[in-house]
Amino acid sequence: YNSGLKINYIGTTAFSTLQNHDYNLMNSREQLQLEKDFGSGFGATLSDAELELRAQQTNTDWLDVFFGTGLTQSHTLNLASGGENINSFTSFGYTDQEGILKKASTLKRFNFRSNISGKSSN
């Protein structure tokens, strides 16, 4: 019953990445040719020579442009004590989560909790 102050710290770190996929994505040449074939988009306005030149100049991996590794950190500090007639528990928490979508998905959260319970001797 009579217990001194107990302090407990919990810290975690995690990493998130885009899941593996089996998509066969187009390169620049294939994308421009598709646009030319359908008569829509930037490729539709290019001649065959211009299309080939553009495809050689630029080949962007859009998955690398938009997605990365997300880092998550979480910290919690708990304080607890108790006596014959009263018990208390207090918790402070902080979470910082970066998503895999670069510069667009983050979550920061703070939390606080406090409980006090007691009983009368009469």
Side-chain angles (χ1 to χ4, degrees), residues 56-119:
Q56 291 173 6
Q57 291 174 343
T58 305
N59 196 15
T60 303
D61 185 346
W62 293 107
L63 293 178
D64 287 341
V65 170
F66 290 109
F67 298 100
T69 300
L71 173 66
T72 300
Q73 294 186 48
S74 181
H75 306 278
T76 304
L77 180 65
N78 298 323
L79 309 169
S81 65
E84 186 174 328
N85 293 324
I86 192 165
N87 292 309
S88 68
F89 174 83
T90 303
S91 176
F92 303 93
Y94 172 71
T95 300
D96 185 0
Q97 181 178 7
E98 294 175 353
I100 60 172
L101 190 57
K102 292 180 179 178
K103 299 181 183 180
S105 56
T106 60
L107 169 70
K108 291 186 181 190
R109 178 176 52 207
F110 298 90
N111 59 334
F112 170 76
R113 175 181 163 193
S114 184
N115 295 344
I116 297 175
S117 60
K119 63 181 178 176

Side-chain angles (χ1 to χ4, degrees), residues 30-60:
E30 293 165 333
Q31 177 67 35
L32 291 171
Q33 186 63 53
L34 179 70
E35 291 173 0
K36 183 174 178 132
D37 293 345
F38 281 97
S40 176
F42 182 70
T45 62
L46 301 176
S47 68
D48 288 339
E50 290 172 323
L51 188 140
E52 197 59 46
L53 180 62
R54 295 282 183 174
Q56 291 173 6
Q57 291 174 343
T58 305
N59 196 15
T60 303

